[in-house]
Amino acid sequence: MDNKKYSAGLSELRAVRDELKPLERELAQLQAKVGKLRDRRAEKIRQLGVYEKATSDRIATAAGLAVIDIVALVPSLAPQGAPEAPVEVPVTESAAVDQPTAQTPAEPIKETAVVSASEEPQAADRAGALARLRAATAEGAFDLEVLGEPGQAEATAPPTGAETEGAERVLPSIPEGTEGGRWFHAEPGLASKRPNFRQAVRQMAFLDTATGVLVWQGGTVRLDLGQATVSQILTAVYAVPNTASVERIYVTAGDPWHQSSERHDFLKDAVAAWLNGPLPEGWTVESSRGKDRQAGHLVHPRNPVGRWQRGDQHIEIRSVGEWFDPEGADPATVRAAFVELWKALRPHFEDVVLMGSPSQTGRDLWSRTIPMKAGAKWAEGFPVMSQEIRGLLHATAGQGRTELITPPRVPERVPGWYEVDRTFAYAKHTWASGVGVPQRITAARFAAMTEKEQTNALFAPSHWQVRVTIPKDWNHVGLLPAPAPGERSWHYPYEGGRTFTTWAGGAEVNLALRNPIAPWRIEILDGLLWESGDPLKSWSTKLQKAWRSLRAIAEHHGDEQQKKACALASRAVRSILLYGIGTFAQRPRITTGSLELGASGEVPELPEGARLTGITDTHVTWERNQGFGRDQYAHPEWAAGVWSAARAALLSVSTSSKDPETGKPLKAGALHLPPGSILAFRTDAIYTSAPVDWPYGGEPGDYLLKGRMAWEQTTPRTDEDFYVLQELGRQAYESEGM
């Protein structure tokens, strides 16, 4: 580039600036208008929710929202008696945190008519309709009540419970008096009991769709997969002798569902298009399976699940990324990892069966630790709380902390970049959990307690509605989650002197009161207090033993493939515990589906209460919130307790190492680093500009240094900037050890 081209470029840039400014002003005005309308909608929902015959599904349809959004505003409308079905709930706790942590439970899409991938649009009006629909869905799902006129469709709020762009959400409360008292009961006839059957074993195969290498119990072959469409994969795999018994194919590399991503605005659209592609003769999308299995596809942008059948033959195609990042391992090594995983679990769970996902496996293994001895406490099963309490926990108990701290809170440039991550963190917080029906601790009841009783209540498994006041001279990070403006679920107020109201677990409330810098002022407004038990302890202990044994083999084994396989298997154990805890949260069932577009691009009629979420040239995808099902393993109180303790430990926690002088455990966490040095949180990881020298003992919950650049860096302002520095920091640290 010469000076002339540079000057011309500046002129073009100024022209873009001048064109952009009025549009930004117009956008701000529209956002303000949308905010007011959302306020009006929320107020109208609350008014309608008082009506004794009001139902969440009817209000949700009228409002263009999901049922859980209605329940968040009017908890008494939590759905009752939703159909029971097994659920796969992807829940993310990431040490590496290479993906966003937003949780969107996804259900299988239903069988759809197959359209040839080569079919072209037949009319200009079809292309126009598609363009209008894509524009309408660019910011998310749109309101079904204006769907009849795509040109007038306007974006509605995403299903996060956020009411306005500029105002914080108001979290639900427990009603006063007898109405609130009706919340405190167990669901009749619903309890977590030990199963009296063993899961069926499914034959697995492992396929690299980039190289065509297939590995299964019968051997290894290289297949010609062409473009790796569903049709080509099914045809090639089942043309190989002795593969008829294979029921589950894990894709280890290649991500064939992303091949057409450049033709779609969203990855989920590309995934849906791949799953709905043409099938070989005789194959259909799966429509029925046994009690322990699900029918249809699961559309997930990274780790989808496709399910098909041919007569009595059933097959799943899944991503091995559900279990761990294979890090370039070939299919044979990945298969060896699953073998080592089973071998490590077998001494602790005699009836272990590796199911399709770590979440399914985790919940099944946990269910087999439920006491069964007659007369033992909880031998009759752990009771499931009322729909109202579960809905309240879903709306008020967040998961991992994800926060990027940008200037002016931190300098524009910082002296270094350090990443420390808690190893197998959730395992550290499974020793005690709330069991049974909780007590309600109102403000008056809490005030009437002695100081010792108050302390005991806060240290017990509990969940509190609190009014928080931050010390005026506070100069560090925020301690407690609060409902955030706009689409983001939670943020962490830090401004000295600020007061806000929120819900938080007992672990976090204790941390705020007893943190190493200065106590925060906490007023108890309401709360849930459970009896302390250990429903997760046996399960977690067994998983930790398997994890330790695999890590030891990975460290000392002489064969490189086995070292790698055991390292991957140890990460799979982590996923079993992590995602197993997530299944207890029992988020509302989100059913997704796919329908074929009309000949002129018109959208077919969607199921009642559904919202449109994506569109391809041939199909639309939709989702519908069916509320909370009658799930015997629904224990959001356990998930909420683990998540709260993990967030508190991100700030201050005792390590497995001891001070040589005092003999007391050494402390670690963000509050033990200088003010202004914290750059980001990612679930169990801290990113800081200050050097970190916390000792690492290799035990669950210990902080491990994973990235380091001990020289000046530009502070990241966006997630994109953050992920670049995260990767560079890890590469730099790895190079130090070479």
Side-chain angles (χ1 to χ4, degrees):
M1 177 181 293
D2 55 22
N3 187 57
K4 184 177 180 180
K5 289 183 179 180
Y6 179 70
S7 299
L10 290 175
S11 298
E12 293 175 4
L13 184 59
R14 284 190 286 269
V16 172
R17 176 199 63 192
D18 295 340
E19 185 177 354
L20 182 60
K21 280 187 175 180
L23 293 176
E24 289 177 332
R25 287 194 293 269
E26 183 179 351
L27 177 61
Q29 293 171 353
L30 287 173
Q31 288 176 332
K33 184 178 179 180
V34 168
K36 291 179 181 178
L37 288 173
R38 288 176 178 167
D39 280 339
R40 286 174 53 192
R41 179 177 63 187
E43 182 59 31
K44 180 58 66 177
I45 289 170
R46 293 191 184 96
Q47 293 172 1
L48 293 172
V50 177
Y51 178 49
E52 60 181 5
K53 295 183 179 180
T55 61
S56 56
D57 55 343
R58 292 194 65 185
I59 295 178
T61 300
L65 293 174
V67 171
I68 188 56
D69 297 328
I70 307 303
V71 173
L73 292 169
V74 190
S76 60
L77 294 181
Q80 302 291 327
E84 183 176 358
V87 184
E88 291 181 1
V89 185
V91 180
T92 303
E93 172 218 8
S94 175
V97 194
D98 293 324
Q99 299 177 9
T101 57
Q103 279 68 52
T104 306
E107 290 292 348
I109 67 172
K110 296 185 177 180
E111 182 175 355
T112 61
V114 175
V115 179
S116 170
S118 62
E119 181 176 339
E120 296 292 336
Q122 297 180 0
D125 59 346
R126 174 179 173 86
L130 290 173
R132 291 196 299 273
L133 286 168
R134 287 197 178 94
T137 57
E139 297 300 326
F142 53 68
D143 195 326
L144 295 177
E145 294 196 346
V146 298
L147 191 56
E149 301 181 30
Q152 298 177 13
E154 63 180 34
T156 63
T160 61
E163 297 168 18
T164 70
E165 292 296 329
E168 291 185 351
R169 292 173 294 121
V170 177
L171 297 178
S173 302
I174 305 172
E176 297 295 334
T178 56
E179 183 181 356
R182 286 195 291 268
W183 287 26
F184 291 82
H185 68 271
E187 283 291 325
L190 197 62
S192 303
K193 297 183 178 181
R194 189 169 183 146
N196 57 5
F197 65 92
R198 182 174 179 175
Q199 296 289 356
V201 177
R202 313 295 178 191
Q203 177 84 273
M204 304 179 194
F206 301 86
L207 176 65
D208 183 334
T209 60
T211 64
V213 173
L214 176 75
V215 178
W216 84 110
Q217 191 174 28
T220 301
V221 296
R222 185 180 295 274
L223 306 176
D224 181 2
L225 298 178
Q227 298 301 311
T229 64
V230 171
S231 178
Q232 291 167 328
I233 291 174
L234 293 178
T235 299
V237 169
Y238 290 104
V240 177
N242 303 320
T243 58
S245 60
V246 170
E247 296 184 72
R248 187 175 296 141
I249 299 174
Y250 284 108
V251 174
T252 64
D255 295 345
W257 38 80
H258 291 162
Q259 288 180 356
S260 64
S261 58
E262 71 282 353
R263 299 199 298 270
H264 299 276
D265 293 327
F266 304 101
L267 275 180
K268 285 187 72 172
D269 290 345
V271 171
W274 186 84
L275 291 170
N276 288 309
L279 296 173
E281 184 177 355
W283 286 91
T284 62
V285 176
E286 190 172 62
S287 58
S288 63
R289 306 182 84 174
K291 290 183 179 179
D292 63 330
R293 309 169 79 182
Q294 297 186 89
H297 304 318
L298 187 148
V299 180
H300 185 277
R302 300 289 179 184
N303 299 314
V305 181
R307 300 182 176 97
W308 297 271
Q309 67 183 80
R310 180 174 58 181
D312 293 334
Q313 183 178 20
H314 297 265
I315 180 64
E316 289 182 337
I317 297 180
R318 315 181 71 112
S319 169
V320 79
E322 293 180 88
W323 292 85
F324 47 73
D325 179 357
E327 297 182 341
D330 59 43
T333 303
V334 173
R335 181 179 182 274
F338 276 78
V339 172
E340 293 299 326
L341 172 63
W342 184 88
K343 288 165 59 178
L345 294 172
R346 183 68 173 80
H348 311 294
F349 302 94
E350 63 180 15
D351 45 4
V352 59
V353 172
L354 299 182
M355 301 178 70
S357 68
S359 60
Q360 291 174 316
T361 305
R363 186 163 72 172
D364 182 68
L365 293 179
W366 173 79
S367 70
R368 298 172 193 280
T369 66
I370 297 174
M372 59 184 300
K373 183 179 179 181
K377 195 168 188 179
W378 311 114
E380 297 301 315
F382 294 99
V384 173
M385 293 182 299
S386 69
Q387 293 266 11
E388 292 85 356
I389 294 295
R390 283 182 280 154
L392 178 72
L393 286 169
H394 174 72
T396 61
Q399 200 175 332
R401 178 170 182 169
T402 299
E403 184 179 16
L404 182 64
I405 300 174
T406 58
R409 287 182 62 185
V410 291
E412 295 281 353
R413 292 185 65 80
V414 290
W417 172 271
Y418 302 86
E419 175 189 2
V420 284
D421 176 81
R422 296 185 70 217
T423 298
F424 205 12
Y426 282 8
K428 178 81 171 181
H429 308 295
T430 52
W431 302 112
S433 302
V435 288
V437 177
Q439 302 178 55
R440 182 178 187 179
I441 307 297
T442 62
R445 185 175 175 184
F446 188 83
M449 291 179 172
T450 65
E451 183 176 348
K452 182 178 180 181
E453 289 173 332
Q454 290 178 347
T455 300
N456 290 341
L458 291 175
F459 275 101
S462 53
H463 191 61
W464 302 95
Q465 185 180 35
V466 292
R467 183 181 294 113
V468 183
T469 302
I470 304 174
K472 290 185 177 180
D473 57 352
W474 186 260
N475 66 345
H476 219 295
V477 297
L479 304 185
L480 293 176
E487 298 179 8
R488 299 188 65 177
S489 297
W490 303 94
H491 64 172
Y492 295 81
Y494 61 92
E495 303 91 342
R498 178 174 176 175
T499 297
F500 61 96
T501 300
T502 191
W503 284 84
E508 291 169 286
V509 173
N510 269 310
L511 188 280
L513 289 169
R514 299 171 176 85
N515 72 80
I517 298 176
W520 285 24
R521 185 169 184 267
I522 305 292
E523 301 172 68
I524 299 295
L525 306 179
D526 213 338
L528 305 173
L529 178 63
W530 283 270
E531 176 185 344
S532 183
D534 57 0
L536 304 179
K537 183 177 179 180
S538 174
W539 173 69
S540 175
T541 299
K542 292 178 177 182
L543 289 176
Q544 289 180 58
K545 289 179 179 178
W547 174 77
R548 288 189 177 94
S549 69
L550 287 166
R551 282 168 58 93
I553 297 172
E555 184 176 350
H556 300 295
H557 204 290
D559 183 87
E560 287 302 318
Q561 184 187 55
Q562 287 302 107
K563 287 173 67 77
K564 181 68 172 180
C566 289
L568 295 177
S570 72
R571 295 172 197 168
V573 174
R574 172 186 174 276
S575 296
I576 288 172
L577 183 134
L578 165 64
Y579 296 130
I581 288 172
T583 63
F584 293 127
Q586 199 231 6
R587 285 167 168 75
R589 288 174 47 82
I590 308 295
T591 303
T592 68
S594 177
L595 294 170
E596 186 181 358
L597 287 174
S600 298
E602 66 271 14
V603 176
E605 183 177 354
L606 302 185
E608 183 178 356
R611 68 169 80 226
L612 194 62
T613 57
I615 183 168
T616 70
D617 289 341
T618 59
H619 287 75
V620 295
T621 55
W622 54 265
E623 69 179 24
R624 178 175 58 185
N625 190 310
Q626 292 184 302
F628 298 94
R630 281 183 58 81
D631 182 355
Q632 71 180 100
Y633 298 123
H635 292 286
E637 67 276 21
W638 298 348
V642 171
W643 295 338
S644 174
R647 289 194 300 268
L650 199 61
L651 301 169
S652 182
V653 69
S654 297
T655 69
S656 64
S657 300
K658 294 184 178 181
D659 188 316
E661 296 182 3
T662 65
K664 295 181 178 180
L666 293 171
K667 294 284 188 176
L671 295 182
H672 301 278
L673 293 170
S677 68
I678 306 301
L679 304 177
F681 293 104
R682 287 295 186 276
T683 307
D684 292 313
I686 300 172
Y687 298 82
T688 175
S689 61
V692 181
D693 58 358
W694 299 327
Y696 178 67
E699 290 298 306
D702 281 355
Y703 278 96
L704 172 67
L705 183 64
K706 294 184 68 176
R708 175 167 60 196
M709 292 185 288
W711 55 87
E712 191 173 90
Q713 305 290 330
T714 299
T715 304
R717 286 182 170 270
T718 66
D719 285 341
E720 290 77 10
D721 295 340
F722 166 82
Y723 288 120
V724 168
L725 282 181
Q726 181 193 63
E727 182 62 25
L728 291 175
R730 292 177 181 178
Q731 291 177 1
Y733 184 58
E734 289 175 5
S735 67
E736 292 178 15
M738 292 181 179

